[in-house]
Amino acid sequence: MTKGTKPDTKADSSREPTLLERVSRGDKLAVSEVLETYGPLIWSIARKGLGPALAEDAVQEVFIEIWKHAKRYDPERASEAAYIATIARRRVIDHGRRVGRRPEVEEVPEETPDTDNSLELVELADEARIAKEALAELKPEQQRVLKLSIVEGLTHSEIATTTQLPLGTVKSHARRGLERVRTLLQERREASGEVR
Amino acid sequence: MSSPFDHLRTHELCLGRALNDLSPEELRELEQLNGTTEQDIDEFDIAVSAMHLAFLGEVDEPLPNELRARIEQSASQTLGRPD
């Protein structure tokens, strides 16, 4: 995947079909393009959520889910990247529950290496850019709680233990942060017609 | 017809579901309240995924080749199958 590649996901009637729409019609080339475009993202979500040993099975399950639900994707509700990331998150969490995997607390660094093959996720989904803006408004403690919950997959009780914060504070940080991002996404969607 | 209380409770449960912070009982309650299942995706889920993408920033490791080949094979089986 080369940096800056962004699938066309415009939602007007004259737009090109999205990758998922093409997949749902059985387009084999679209399957390869989905793997190329979103494979690194799904691989990253699975490795961080489950560890490398369990990630492969989970990634296969994620893609089966994507193929099955491709026709349910609505480009007016979310970007393809956010939709796919949601499926991946759900599957990875389910897989972790089934195999009894508890996440290791290994927080991701603020900056990841910038290589020729890297893919900027804010380029892939406008929602990520908006979320980044909203997260920057939050206190560092709130950001850390959200990161431990969302990226590392820790339960709120585990976050309370890790951060030494009261459980009620952890829940409040997570919920307020999510409310903030959701509100901002909604406002932007209303202002521009839709988020892309 | 749902009450304002139901609406608030649904909102709270959807928020908790997106954060993976619901008990099995609460998941069932959510399903009864708004008729959605665990597989449905709502705006809270999209917001959480947006944050996930923002936190990750960028990704640079492609799928391992063997895994990719297995997924391509499963795609032709899954997509060729009727719903």
Side-chain angles (χ1 to χ4, degrees):
Chain A
M1 183 75 227
T2 53
K3 193 169 189 167
T5 301
K6 185 180 181 180
D8 181 7
T9 52
K10 288 175 190 161
D12 61 79
S13 57
S14 60
R15 66 172 168 77
E16 292 290 311
T18 65
L19 277 179
L20 290 177
E21 285 168 334
R22 288 170 52 206
V23 165
S24 70
R25 294 173 198 164
D27 180 339
K28 285 183 181 170
L29 184 60
V31 167
S32 295
E33 287 179 42
V34 168
L35 282 164
E36 189 70 24
T37 306
Y38 300 112
L41 168 63
I42 295 167
W43 184 230
S44 177
I45 289 173
R47 275 187 303 124
K48 285 190 167 64
L50 294 167
L54 296 172
E56 289 206 8
D57 284 348
V59 167
Q60 284 194 89
E61 289 179 13
V62 170
F63 276 102
I64 288 172
E65 193 84 356
I66 291 169
W67 310 143
K68 280 184 182 167
H69 295 294
K71 64 176 70 165
R72 293 172 66 175
Y73 170 62
D74 178 358
E76 294 193 23
R77 291 186 61 199
S79 69
E80 222 163 39
Y83 181 77
I84 284 175
T86 302
I87 292 176
R89 286 180 46 75
R90 289 262 182 94
R91 271 288 142 207
V92 165
I93 290 168
D94 285 350
H95 194 89
R97 277 188 194 137
R98 281 205 310 277
V99 299
R101 193 259 172 189
R102 294 309 317 144
E104 297 151 19
V105 183
E106 187 190 329
E107 295 185 43
V108 290
E110 289 300 320
E111 299 292 337
T112 47
D114 189 1
T115 69
D116 286 346
N117 292 323
S118 66
L119 170 65
E120 293 265 10
L121 297 172
V122 291
E123 291 292 319
L124 204 59
D126 278 355
E127 293 104 326
R129 182 179 44 74
I130 295 165
K132 196 174 175 181
E133 286 172 27
L135 287 167
E137 294 171 7
L138 303 179
K139 288 187 288 188
E141 188 178 274
Q142 284 180 287
Q143 292 182 30
R144 187 171 179 224
V145 165
L146 284 164
K147 187 187 273 188
L148 287 170
S149 168
I150 293 169
V151 181
E152 308 299 332
L154 298 193
T155 64
H156 290 180
S157 299
E158 288 166 338
I159 296 170
T161 305
T162 303
T163 59
Q164 303 289 300
L165 290 170
L167 182 59
T169 305
V170 169
K171 286 182 182 287
S172 155
H173 280 348
R175 286 173 182 244
R176 285 186 189 162
L178 173 53
E179 281 280 22
R180 178 72 194 120
V181 173
R182 176 215 174 219
T183 303
L184 201 56
L185 285 171
Q186 215 169 24
E187 286 170 0
R188 297 290 175 86
R189 188 178 289 118
E190 283 164 9
S192 68
E194 68 190 62
V195 170
R196 196 67 27 236
Chain B
M1 201 171 126
S2 63
S3 68
F5 173 79
D6 284 348
H7 182 74
L8 282 174
R9 181 65 180 151
T10 303
H11 179 96
E12 189 187 8
L13 290 170
C14 284
L15 217 151
R17 184 181 70 164
L19 288 165
N20 191 26
D21 188 37
L22 293 189
S23 65
E25 292 76 25
E26 287 171 320
L27 281 169
R28 276 194 294 276
E29 185 186 352
L30 176 60
E31 197 171 329
Q32 284 170 352
L33 275 173
N34 69 355
T36 59
T37 70
E38 255 192 282
Q39 301 310 312
D40 289 314
I41 290 174
D42 63 28
E43 57 197 25
F44 291 103
D45 297 310
I46 296 297
V48 167
S49 293
M51 283 192 273
H52 201 149
L53 297 176
F55 278 130
L56 289 176
E58 61 184 36
V59 290
D60 57 8
E61 193 177 334
L63 286 172
N65 287 336
E66 265 185 41
L67 175 61
R68 183 179 167 136
R70 286 204 300 273
I71 293 167
E72 279 179 314
Q73 197 176 11
S74 76
S76 34
Q77 289 163 359
T78 307
L79 292 169
R81 207 179 286 160
D83 288 340

